[in-house]
Amino acid sequence: MTLPTRAIGPFQVSAVSLGCMNLNHAYGAFPPEDEAIRLLNRALDLGVTMLDTAALYGDGENERLVGKAVMHRRSEFTLASKCVLGLFDGKRGLDGRPEAITGTLEGALQRLGTDHIDLYYLHRLDAKVPIEDSIGALVRAKEAGKIGAIGISEMSAATLRRAHAVHPIAAIQNEYSPAVRNVEIGVLAACRELGTTLVAFSPVVRGLLAGAIRTAAYAEGDVRHIMPRFVEPQLSENLKLVDAFDRIAAEAGLAPAQLAIGWVLAQDATIVALPGTKSIAHLEEDVATLTTPVPQEAIDAVTALFPFNAMSGPRYAAFAQAQVDTETLPDEELA
């Protein structure tokens, strides 16, 4: 199947691509490996042409899974992964030193079972290391043929411009959804100026706009336990917005996830949406957004429903907020 595509540097990728994190990181209750392998292959069968992983996810296990599941179909997809953010002595941390980036990349290539990663991101900004030094390590990796395009993640427009001055940045992967609109402060404009693609992760707000969350009864190990917007008393307030969102979706004849993803794609013709899922049925629903008309009146209604700071509670817990460089909205509540 051929899906509508959008450009990331030299690549044309499906406008809805797949974030692989959910399969063994962050949300708990992970599927058995054989089910995860089936899902990844089903994504390719549906026409998804970018798979996104990272060294952090499962402390390398997600890269190993992708390598085992689909590397025999390598010509069918753009492979993306990330460095800098990882587990160090069992604790989540940042290491953007050039030598650390080189070591993480070598490990990623081994885990993935390949000698080349198409799109390699700095997962976060390590404030202790000049962005120019971290990007320089990726430039050298590109010159060595180990990576193709260069990306950054959860960073600001100012940092994007600094990075781009060292080497063209093909993609910036930041959170973007009807409920999380920080990129509208400056990143979207910088992307248009520089020719950088915004890859929008969590377009369905970690399941909140996909009909997946009604209570805070998450599986053991689910990071939403410590994300203020997803626990009480904030969750009940946010579910009022979700109920209104669901009504807009129903009136438009759409699944909630399709309306959320459709809204993101409608904000700019270059944006790539990157949902993740553990369910083949949900995967198929997400991908079907690309062949399902999303009425403009529904998009407008969603925009009106979620003005800046509509959500109750901070986006991240304090430790995670300290590891991002994204702009904050005026009067945004921070942990």
Side-chain angles (χ1 to χ4, degrees):
M1 184 181 298
T2 300
L3 298 174
T5 64
R6 294 182 173 184
I8 296 181
F11 309 109
Q12 289 289 328
V13 307
S14 52
V16 173
S17 288
L18 180 63
C20 303
M21 179 185 77
N22 306 43
L23 298 175
N24 51 14
H25 187 81
Y27 296 132
F30 306 125
E33 184 180 88
D34 61 337
E35 292 182 15
I37 289 172
R38 280 197 296 274
L39 184 144
L40 291 169
N41 280 277
R42 180 60 179 152
L44 299 184
D45 294 342
L46 290 168
V48 170
T49 56
M50 183 170 69
L51 302 179
D52 181 278
T53 181
L56 172 72
Y57 303 158
D59 194 18
E61 288 304 313
N62 197 249
E63 289 176 324
R64 290 189 184 92
L65 172 66
V66 171
K68 181 176 182 179
V70 293
M71 212 52 64
H72 64 290
R73 303 177 67 175
R74 184 68 182 86
S75 63
E76 298 179 41
F77 64 96
T78 295
L79 174 62
S81 194
K82 313 179 197 74
C83 59
V84 175
L85 180 61
L87 296 179
F88 304 97
D89 297 323
K91 294 183 179 179
R92 173 176 161 138
L94 303 172
D95 195 340
R97 295 173 301 146
E99 59 269 31
I101 289 171
T102 299
T104 300
L105 173 58
E106 291 300 327
L109 293 170
Q110 291 178 13
R111 290 187 292 269
L112 287 160
T114 186
D115 60 1
H116 183 84
I117 296 171
D118 298 313
L119 173 60
Y120 204 53
Y121 293 91
L122 303 179
H123 205 160
R124 295 289 190 274
L125 174 67
D126 183 349
K128 302 186 297 298
V129 180
I131 187 69
E132 293 81 0
D133 292 354
S134 297
I135 293 293
L138 297 187
V139 172
R140 290 188 290 276
K142 181 177 179 179
E143 292 169 346
K146 295 181 179 181
I147 67 171
I150 292 173
I152 60 176
S153 176
E154 283 282 63
M155 298 191 200
S156 65
T159 301
L160 170 58
R161 289 191 174 93
R162 283 179 61 187
H164 193 83
V166 178
H167 185 280
I169 301 302
I172 181 168
Q173 185 176 141
N174 281 11
E175 185 171 1
Y176 191 34
S177 70
V180 179
R181 297 174 58 182
N182 301 64
V183 298
E184 295 178 19
I185 300 170
V187 166
L188 265 179
C191 285
R192 296 184 187 114
E193 171 192 332
L194 301 173
T196 299
T197 299
L198 174 65
V199 177
F201 79 84
S202 291
V204 300
V205 198
R206 304 178 190 275
L208 196 61
L209 297 187
I213 299 172
R214 297 307 305 176
T215 73
Y218 305 112
E220 183 178 354
D222 193 311
V223 296
R224 289 170 292 194
H225 275 302
I226 56 171
M227 302 185 85
R229 292 180 174 179
F230 294 88
V231 295
E232 298 298 352
Q234 293 82 215
L235 179 60
S236 290
E237 290 302 308
N238 292 328
L239 286 173
K240 296 175 184 176
L241 290 168
V242 172
D243 289 341
F245 175 85
D246 288 350
R247 287 193 291 271
I248 297 170
E251 290 168 4
L254 299 167
Q258 291 173 335
L259 179 56
I261 293 168
W263 183 93
V264 167
L265 293 175
Q267 302 312 301
D268 192 280
T270 66
I271 292 173
V272 173
L274 192 72
T277 183
K278 294 178 269 188
S279 161
I280 288 178
H282 292 164
L283 168 69
E284 292 171 345
E285 181 178 271
D286 292 348
V287 172
T289 305
L290 295 176
T291 54
T292 304
V294 180
Q296 184 62 47
E297 55 267 28
I299 291 169
D300 294 342
V302 170
T303 302
L305 178 64
F306 288 101
F308 288 175
N309 297 324
M311 298 282 281
S312 296
R315 184 163 73 102
Y316 280 127
F319 79 92
Q321 181 64 42
Q323 293 178 339
V324 300
D325 175 57
T326 44
E327 292 95 343
T328 54
L329 298 163
D331 302 318
E332 180 175 351
E333 186 177 352
L334 298 175

